[in-house]
Amino acid sequence: MSRMVEALAEKESVQRAHVQPTFEALGLHSHLVKAIRAAFPKVEFPTATQIQLIPAIHNKKDIILQDETGSGKTFGLVLASLNKPRLTYSDYDVPSITTIFLVPHRDLAFQIRHWIQKITECSSTTPPRLDQVAQVLVRDGQMHLQSGLEQLLKTPPHVLIATPASLLEVLQKQDDIIDFSRVSAVVVDEVDDLIETIPDTKTALVEKIRKRIARHPGPTRQLLDIIYSKRKRFTAKNREEFVDEPYQTPQLILSSATIRRHLKEYFFGESGIVKGDVVKVRGTVLPLHVKEMLATSVLHTDISHHVLVVSDKTIENLAGAAEAPDREDVLKPSPDEEPAPTPVKTEAELERELGFSMTPSPFNQNSLEAVAAAFALYVPSVALLVIPGATSIYRAVYDLRALGVNAYNVDMLAEHKGRLHLLSGDATRFKSNPTLFVASVAAIRGLDLPELQHVFILGTLGLEGTDITSRTLDTYIHVAGRVGRFGKKGRVISIIDGEQNDQQEVKRMDKILKRLGIQPMKLKEFS
Ligand SMILES: Nc1ncnc2c1ncn2[C@@H]1O[C@H](COP(=O)(O)OP(=O)(O)OP(=O)(O)O)[C@@H](O)[C@H]1O
């Protein structure tokens, strides 16, 4: 670099530092900031969301955090949580849990732990053991809840990351395992996924959903009722009775890109959990309306949306799709990289495959072929395929492999099934054999694979139910939001069966995009 270029770069970084607060200025300890920079060299300055969020967390008031997908909400929550001081249970001199993250699925839990692990490893020459800093509690084939419970008792971590169902189950086994009056904060990440609410209107559909929710309130509601039982008992009228009672409950942080009015009303009203002052941290998002024309504001402009309609004979762009400009910015495959290692199959996997080879597939093979074709055309290193929840991920993987696609189910604990892709850079050396991760909608909220530029959606049924509700639209926003993160370009390609039920699927997709105000674009390689 010439001296002049160096001087200019230095000037720019000085100017930036003047306008943009540093993590230290927001209250993060300098040793933590050092570890963050060492673990994530690309993280230099806080994002706009983090600038508001980190000081708000230190203020201890409840927080509603809403900003677009990929704006750094979860990452900011992790940093602020690691910065919190640890309390101890004075009776036993054992450290208590400082922050509990409630997340909708195991892979997000492991992603968060992986981030914490990276930071911990960079925190000193003799870093603390990971289980002292972060533990995951999920219902998982590989991890028995009993062992999670024992681990929690033996070494309470600074940060506990759990799915609500597993934490509830552990509390039902041993209700005093966590003293919630000692917990500093409870983060409900992807809160609208964990707590379903609906608008207060009187349509038959809304009534049906309301009854279902009343019958099955779900583990998150039950868990928050336990953690915040003291708040629930406290009203303006009985205030006096509680004067002498310690009224200490954890700071509650509700986070998502899509928090609708009816969810806030649930927290402020019906639930009796949120009282008093709440800090609202909002980014650029505009309110989500029942008529969704503003919803694109929560989708990045650098994501383009495409729909391929598939029949026995053709793969076509959706009628009415606009001509797309050339997308040089979306990476093209680069053939000369190192080949990816082929993992050895387990006995269970081989047995499962044998079973599949003898049974007909539930998937429309034309649609899977369209996925395989678009994947081969566009994907440089990694893509995500979202399939309907009622179908088998393993079967989809098997069928796609038969079509020559390097497909895997997402598993953030396994190197080649996601872990390698959690941090940008690690997997780019495997470009010659791009990977397609297959997941259902239930397992993609909050996932962050920095290289991801393509998401495929197989049919509309994965987008929550057969009716189009606000949840369907929010689900599309979250699926699309896996790409276009942090200034990267992205494509969302929906694959729709054009021969099903008088084009019902095509009409449904068209309606979803219209309600979201999205103009689909043509993929010029298809007719
Ligand atoms: N200050 C920062 N500078 C650079 N990169 C950042 C910064 N903060 C977060 N990131 C990166 O941005 C990506 C998205 O972060 P994160 O998952 O926290 O977003 P999010 O808002 O929670 O998204 P979603 O709504 O989809 O869950 C991650 O790869 C993270 O490492």
Side-chain angles (χ1 to χ4, degrees), residues 85-110:
R86 274 202 97 163
L87 299 172
T88 52
Y89 295 111
S90 50
D91 303 353
Y92 319 102
D93 209 21
V94 175
S96 59
I97 295 171
T98 314
T99 302
I100 298 174
F101 273 79
L102 297 176
V103 296
H105 57 92
R106 72 185 278 288
D107 288 299
L108 183 55
F110 287 121

CSV table of all heavy atoms in Angstrom, one decimal, residues 85-110:
chain,number,residue,atom,x,y,z
A,85,PRO,N,-22.0,-8.7,34.9
A,85,PRO,CA,-21.2,-9.3,36.0
A,85,PRO,C,-21.9,-10.5,36.5
A,85,PRO,O,-23.2,-10.7,36.4
A,85,PRO,CB,-21.3,-8.2,37.1
A,85,PRO,CG,-22.5,-7.4,36.7
A,85,PRO,CD,-22.7,-7.4,35.3
A,86,ARG,N,-21.2,-11.5,37.0
A,86,ARG,CA,-21.8,-12.7,37.6
A,86,ARG,C,-22.1,-12.5,39.0
A,86,ARG,O,-21.3,-12.0,39.8
A,86,ARG,CB,-20.8,-13.9,37.4
A,86,ARG,CG,-20.9,-14.5,36.1
A,86,ARG,CD,-20.4,-15.9,36.1
A,86,ARG,NE,-21.4,-16.8,36.3
A,86,ARG,CZ,-21.3,-18.1,36.0
A,86,ARG,NH1,-20.2,-18.6,35.6
A,86,ARG,NH2,-22.4,-18.9,36.2
A,87,LEU,N,-23.3,-13.0,39.4
A,87,LEU,CA,-23.7,-13.0,40.8
A,87,LEU,C,-23.4,-14.4,41.4
A,87,LEU,O,-23.3,-15.3,40.6
A,87,LEU,CB,-25.1,-12.7,41.0
A,87,LEU,CG,-25.6,-11.3,40.4
A,87,LEU,CD1,-27.1,-11.2,40.5
A,87,LEU,CD2,-25.0,-10.2,41.3
A,88,THR,N,-23.3,-14.5,42.7
A,88,THR,CA,-23.2,-15.8,43.3
A,88,THR,C,-24.4,-16.0,44.2
A,88,THR,O,-25.0,-15.1,44.7
A,88,THR,CB,-21.9,-16.0,44.1
A,88,THR,OG1,-21.9,-14.9,45.0
A,88,THR,CG2,-20.7,-16.0,43.2
A,89,TYR,N,-24.8,-17.3,44.4
A,89,TYR,CA,-25.8,-17.7,45.4
A,89,TYR,C,-25.0,-17.5,46.7
A,89,TYR,O,-24.1,-18.3,47.0
A,89,TYR,CB,-26.2,-19.1,45.2
A,89,TYR,CG,-27.0,-19.3,43.9
A,89,TYR,CD1,-26.4,-20.1,42.9
A,89,TYR,CD2,-28.3,-18.8,43.7
A,89,TYR,CE1,-27.1,-20.4,41.8
A,89,TYR,CE2,-29.0,-19.1,42.6
A,89,TYR,CZ,-28.4,-19.8,41.6
A,89,TYR,OH,-29.1,-20.1,40.5
A,90,SER,N,-25.4,-16.5,47.5
A,90,SER,CA,-24.5,-16.2,48.7
A,90,SER,C,-24.5,-17.4,49.6
A,90,SER,O,-23.4,-17.7,50.2
A,90,SER,CB,-25.1,-15.0,49.4
A,90,SER,OG,-26.4,-15.1,49.6
A,91,ASP,N,-25.6,-18.2,49.7
A,91,ASP,CA,-25.6,-19.3,50.7
A,91,ASP,C,-24.5,-20.4,50.3
A,91,ASP,O,-24.0,-21.0,51.2
A,91,ASP,CB,-26.9,-20.0,50.7
A,91,ASP,CG,-28.0,-19.0,51.0
A,91,ASP,OD1,-27.7,-17.9,51.3
A,91,ASP,OD2,-29.2,-19.4,50.9
A,92,TYR,N,-24.3,-20.5,49.0
A,92,TYR,CA,-23.4,-21.7,48.6
A,92,TYR,C,-22.1,-21.2,48.0
A,92,TYR,O,-21.2,-22.0,47.7
A,92,TYR,CB,-24.1,-22.6,47.6
A,92,TYR,CG,-25.5,-22.8,47.9
A,92,TYR,CD1,-26.5,-22.2,47.2
A,92,TYR,CD2,-25.9,-23.7,48.9
A,92,TYR,CE1,-27.8,-22.4,47.4
A,92,TYR,CE2,-27.2,-24.0,49.1
A,92,TYR,CZ,-28.2,-23.3,48.4
A,92,TYR,OH,-29.5,-23.6,48.7
A,93,ASP,N,-22.0,-19.9,47.7
A,93,ASP,CA,-20.8,-19.4,47.0
A,93,ASP,C,-20.6,-20.0,45.6
A,93,ASP,O,-19.5,-20.2,45.2
A,93,ASP,CB,-19.6,-19.6,47.9
A,93,ASP,CG,-18.5,-18.5,47.6
A,93,ASP,OD1,-19.0,-17.5,47.2
A,93,ASP,OD2,-17.3,-18.8,47.9
A,94,VAL,N,-21.7,-20.4,45.0
A,94,VAL,CA,-21.7,-20.9,43.7
A,94,VAL,C,-22.2,-19.8,42.7
A,94,VAL,O,-23.1,-19.1,43.0
A,94,VAL,CB,-22.7,-22.1,43.6
A,94,VAL,CG1,-22.7,-22.7,42.1
A,94,VAL,CG2,-22.3,-23.2,44.5
A,95,PRO,N,-21.5,-19.7,41.6
A,95,PRO,CA,-22.0,-18.6,40.7
A,95,PRO,C,-23.4,-19.0,40.2
A,95,PRO,O,-23.7,-20.1,40.0
A,95,PRO,CB,-21.0,-18.6,39.5
A,95,PRO,CG,-20.2,-19.8,39.7
A,95,PRO,CD,-20.3,-20.4,41.1
A,96,SER,N,-24.2,-17.9,40.0
A,96,SER,CA,-25.6,-18.2,39.5
A,96,SER,C,-25.6,-18.0,37.9
A,96,SER,O,-24.7,-17.4,37.4
A,96,SER,CB,-26.6,-17.3,40.1
A,96,SER,OG,-26.2,-15.9,39.9
A,97,ILE,N,-26.7,-18.4,37.3
A,97,ILE,CA,-26.9,-18.1,35.9
A,97,ILE,C,-27.2,-16.7,35.7
A,97,ILE,O,-28.0,-16.1,36.4
A,97,ILE,CB,-28.0,-19.0,35.3
A,97,ILE,CG1,-27.6,-20.5,35.4
A,97,ILE,CG2,-28.3,-18.6,33.9
A,97,ILE,CD1,-28.8,-21.4,35.1
A,98,THR,N,-26.5,-16.0,34.8
A,98,THR,CA,-26.7,-14.6,34.6
A,98,THR,C,-27.8,-14.3,33.6
A,98,THR,O,-28.7,-13.5,33.8
A,98,THR,CB,-25.4,-13.9,34.2
A,98,THR,OG1,-24.4,-14.3,35.0
A,98,THR,CG2,-25.5,-12.4,34.3
A,99,THR,N,-27.7,-15.0,32.4
A,99,THR,CA,-28.7,-14.7,31.4
A,99,THR,C,-29.2,-16.1,30.8
A,99,THR,O,-28.4,-17.0,30.6
A,99,THR,CB,-28.0,-14.0,30.2
A,99,THR,OG1,-27.5,-12.7,30.7
A,99,THR,CG2,-29.0,-13.7,29.1
A,100,ILE,N,-30.5,-16.1,30.6
A,100,ILE,CA,-31.1,-17.3,30.0
A,100,ILE,C,-31.6,-16.9,28.6
A,100,ILE,O,-32.4,-15.9,28.4
A,100,ILE,CB,-32.3,-17.9,30.8
A,100,ILE,CG1,-31.8,-18.3,32.2
A,100,ILE,CG2,-33.0,-19.0,30.0
A,100,ILE,CD1,-32.9,-18.7,33.1
A,101,PHE,N,-31.1,-17.5,27.5
A,101,PHE,CA,-31.6,-17.3,26.2
A,101,PHE,C,-32.7,-18.4,25.9
A,101,PHE,O,-32.3,-19.6,26.0
A,101,PHE,CB,-30.5,-17.5,25.1
A,101,PHE,CG,-29.7,-16.3,24.9
A,101,PHE,CD1,-28.7,-15.8,25.7
A,101,PHE,CD2,-29.9,-15.5,23.7
A,101,PHE,CE1,-27.9,-14.7,25.5
A,101,PHE,CE2,-29.2,-14.4,23.4
A,101,PHE,CZ,-28.2,-14.0,24.3
A,102,LEU,N,-33.9,-18.0,25.5
A,102,LEU,CA,-34.8,-19.0,25.1
A,102,LEU,C,-34.9,-18.9,23.6
A,102,LEU,O,-35.1,-17.8,23.0
A,102,LEU,CB,-36.2,-18.7,25.7
A,102,LEU,CG,-36.3,-18.8,27.2
A,102,LEU,CD1,-37.7,-18.4,27.7
A,102,LEU,CD2,-36.0,-20.2,27.7
A,103,VAL,N,-34.7,-20.0,22.9
A,103,VAL,CA,-34.6,-20.0,21.4
A,103,VAL,C,-35.5,-21.1,20.8
A,103,VAL,O,-35.8,-22.1,21.5
A,103,VAL,CB,-33.2,-20.2,20.9
A,103,VAL,CG1,-32.2,-19.1,21.3
A,103,VAL,CG2,-32.6,-21.5,21.4
A,104,PRO,N,-36.0,-20.9,19.6
A,104,PRO,CA,-37.0,-21.9,19.1
A,104,PRO,C,-36.4,-23.2,18.7
A,104,PRO,O,-37.2,-24.2,18.6
A,104,PRO,CB,-37.6,-21.1,17.9
A,104,PRO,CG,-36.6,-20.1,17.5
A,104,PRO,CD,-35.8,-19.7,18.7
A,105,HIS,N,-35.1,-23.4,18.4
A,105,HIS,CA,-34.7,-24.7,18.0
A,105,HIS,C,-33.2,-24.9,18.3
A,105,HIS,O,-32.5,-24.0,18.6
A,105,HIS,CB,-34.9,-24.9,16.5
A,105,HIS,CG,-34.3,-23.8,15.6
A,105,HIS,ND1,-33.0,-24.0,15.1
A,105,HIS,CD2,-34.7,-22.6,15.2
A,105,HIS,CE1,-32.7,-22.9,14.4
A,105,HIS,NE2,-33.7,-22.1,14.5
A,106,ARG,N,-32.8,-26.2,18.3
A,106,ARG,CA,-31.5,-26.6,18.8
A,106,ARG,C,-30.4,-26.0,18.0
A,106,ARG,O,-29.3,-25.6,18.6
A,106,ARG,CB,-31.4,-28.1,18.8
A,106,ARG,CG,-31.2,-28.7,17.4
A,106,ARG,CD,-31.2,-30.2,17.4
A,106,ARG,NE,-29.9,-30.8,17.6
A,106,ARG,CZ,-28.9,-30.8,16.8
A,106,ARG,NH1,-28.9,-30.2,15.6
A,106,ARG,NH2,-27.8,-31.4,17.1
A,107,ASP,N,-30.5,-25.8,16.7
A,107,ASP,CA,-29.4,-25.3,15.9
A,107,ASP,C,-29.1,-23.8,16.2
A,107,ASP,O,-27.9,-23.4,16.2
A,107,ASP,CB,-29.7,-25.5,14.4
A,107,ASP,CG,-29.6,-27.0,14.1
A,107,ASP,OD1,-28.5,-27.6,14.2
A,107,ASP,OD2,-30.6,-27.6,13.7
A,108,LEU,N,-30.1,-23.1,16.5
A,108,LEU,CA,-29.8,-21.7,16.9
A,108,LEU,C,-29.1,-21.7,18.3
A,108,LEU,O,-28.2,-20.9,18.5
A,108,LEU,CB,-31.1,-20.9,17.0
A,108,LEU,CG,-31.0,-19.4,17.4
A,108,LEU,CD1,-30.0,-18.7,16.4
A,108,LEU,CD2,-32.3,-18.7,17.3
A,109,ALA,N,-29.5,-22.6,19.2
A,109,ALA,CA,-28.9,-22.7,20.5
A,109,ALA,C,-27.4,-23.0,20.3
A,109,ALA,O,-26.5,-22.4,20.9
A,109,ALA,CB,-29.5,-23.8,21.3
A,110,PHE,N,-27.1,-24.0,19.4
A,110,PHE,CA,-25.7,-24.4,19.2
A,110,PHE,C,-24.9,-23.3,18.5
A,110,PHE,O,-23.7,-23.1,18.7
A,110,PHE,CB,-25.6,-25.7,18.5
A,110,PHE,CG,-25.9,-26.9,19.3
A,110,PHE,CD1,-27.0,-27.7,19.0
A,110,PHE,CD2,-25.2,-27.1,20.5
A,110,PHE,CE1,-27.3,-28.8,19.9
A,110,PHE,CE2,-25.6,-28.1,21.4
A,110,PHE,CZ,-26.6,-29.0,21.0
